[in-house]
Amino acid sequence: MNDSLPDATATSAPIRLLIAAPRGFCAGVDRAIEIVERAIKRYGAPVYVRHEIVHNRFVVDGLKAKGAVFIEELDQVPDGAPVVFSAHGVPKAVPVAATERGLDWLDATCPLVSKVHRQAERQVEAGRHILFIGHMGHPEVIGTMGQVPAGAITLVETVEDVAELKFTDATPLAFLTQTTLSVDDTAEIVEALRTRYPHMVGPKAEDICYATSNRQEAVKAIAKECQLLLVIGAPNSSNSLRLVEVAERLGTPSRLIQRANEIDPSWLDGVTTLGLTAGASAPEVLVREVVERIGELRTVTEETVTTAEEKMIFKLPRQLAD
């Protein structure tokens, strides 16, 4: 925390702090972090992790301190070393290559992402081309597109992209989505796709995960009462960026921060009600850090606004289940 900023508590008006719930870690993130921690205990350090296990620098640095080594490609893993695949999922070729090298590997892919992977395989097996709604370059998108043969998926990022598609009514089509998208934006894209391709099939249930949906609904519940919303999350965290967008769509200015020391006291000028939430990769300790920092700047009245209860728990891989 940055203690160099001036303490304005004595001279500034009180501030009402609305804290969204649910916020922060989801079951998939909890599971992924536990997989890395248990792997370090079982195998000893170092344990290699392909890509950031989750998109949060505080979490990644904490795991590094315990013995995790983060790499981007499998060829950076020494022979005989254990490797964990991140919560975002990996192309099918990655575990195949790890097995061919004789590496001990653990898959920390969120089970809800794995569900989309299986759906992609089934749609291609059924002879359908997949229209995949997601953000180009995001590791989850790369992982999902890597589950099926090249050319079997077309990425759709915006409603405008739908107008550029060249498929005919005779082309068997299906759609799937990244799990961390804006619920509202995705609904608009799906509607545009269904209008253009009425024969397109889709998943029985929404691919956007429960945690993403819940956190967006929680932001909607507080945003209209706030003059500013702070979202704790990383700039490469899709679900955190969507929380910023949800607030701003409702007319509430929003700022993405990673730590409390990023807060500029001038942001609070004229703010009587401040909103606070955290993306699914941000731990609660960072929420409390931000609350403490606000308390140094203003007299704070905290209120938690709860819109859903989350009780989801995902099983660990069988290698670590004991």
Side-chain angles (χ1 to χ4, degrees):
M1 199 174 298
N2 189 346
D3 294 323
S4 65
L5 294 176
D7 188 338
T9 302
T11 58
S12 296
I15 195 165
R16 180 185 179 212
L17 180 61
L18 300 184
I19 306 177
R23 63 180 177 275
F25 278 1
C26 62
V29 168
D30 275 330
R31 174 181 180 270
I33 293 169
E34 187 172 0
I35 286 172
V36 176
E37 291 175 337
R38 287 199 179 205
I40 293 168
K41 288 180 181 178
R42 169 158 293 193
Y43 297 105
V47 166
Y48 289 79
V49 184
R50 187 185 182 277
H51 193 66
E52 290 186 341
I53 188 68
V54 296
H55 285 154
N56 186 276
R57 176 53 51 190
F58 180 85
V59 172
V60 168
D61 287 346
L63 292 173
K64 282 182 179 179
K66 294 178 180 180
V69 176
F70 291 86
I71 47 93
E72 289 301 316
E73 299 299 338
L74 203 62
D75 59 13
Q76 296 172 264
V77 180
D79 290 341
V83 61
V84 178
F85 304 142
S86 84
H88 310 97
V90 295
K92 189 178 289 186
V94 174
V96 169
T99 299
E100 289 175 349
R101 283 189 55 192
L103 299 176
D104 284 326
W105 57 269
L106 294 161
D107 189 0
T109 302
C110 173
L112 299 179
V113 174
S114 296
K115 178 183 174 183
V116 178
H117 290 179
R118 303 293 79 77
Q119 290 174 334
E121 291 176 323
R122 286 195 294 271
Q123 295 298 354
V124 169
E125 288 169 0
R128 299 185 182 100
H129 184 87
I130 298 170
L131 304 175
F132 189 66
I133 304 170
H135 297 296
M136 183 178 293
H138 189 277
E140 182 184 334
V141 171
I142 294 169
T144 299
M145 295 182 75
Q147 301 304 307
V148 297
I153 292 183
T154 296
L155 185 63
V156 178
E157 296 191 85
T158 65
V159 169
E160 290 72 26
D161 288 346
V162 176
E164 302 298 319
L165 298 173
K166 306 299 183 184
F167 302 103
T168 69
D169 291 345
T171 307
L173 296 173
F175 84 89
L176 297 170
T177 83
Q178 184 179 332
T179 64
T180 55
L181 300 177
S182 160
V183 172
D184 296 333
D185 288 348
T186 303
E188 291 178 7
I189 297 172
V190 171
E191 182 179 358
L193 285 171
R194 289 197 185 280
T195 299
R196 182 148 190 211
Y197 301 112
H199 66 291
M200 177 188 69
V201 303
K204 293 180 181 178
E206 179 60 73
D207 283 337
I208 297 175
C209 82
Y210 78 94
T212 296
S213 300
N214 286 348
R215 279 149 190 72
Q216 290 178 25
E217 285 302 311
V219 164
K220 290 177 183 178
I222 66 172
K224 290 185 178 180
E225 295 190 56
C226 303
Q227 289 89 43
L228 174 68
L229 178 81
L230 299 179
V231 177
I232 304 170
N236 59 341
S237 167
S238 176
N239 77 87
S240 300
L241 292 170
R242 304 294 80 77
L243 296 177
V244 172
E245 292 173 359
V246 165
E248 295 193 333
R249 177 174 284 184
L250 294 172
T252 303
S254 183
R255 291 186 179 272
L256 183 72
I257 59 172
Q258 297 191 74
R259 299 294 299 270
N261 60 7
E262 297 177 18
I263 297 171
D264 184 334
S266 67
W267 296 349
L268 304 183
D269 291 347
V271 173
T272 57
T273 302
L274 175 68
L276 177 62
T277 190
S281 301
E284 185 65 14
V285 64
L286 298 186
V287 176
R288 299 318 306 173
E289 178 186 272
V290 167
V291 172
E292 289 176 11
R293 182 59 192 145
I294 299 299
E296 292 171 359
L297 299 169
R298 301 279 285 273
T299 301
V300 173
T301 301
E302 283 185 55
E303 298 177 34
T304 298
V305 179
T306 303
T307 55
E309 299 287 344
E310 293 181 348
K311 299 180 180 179
M312 186 78 74
I313 297 174
F314 293 133
K315 293 181 180 179
L316 294 169
R318 55 179 176 76
Q319 303 101 304
L320 300 176
D322 59 351

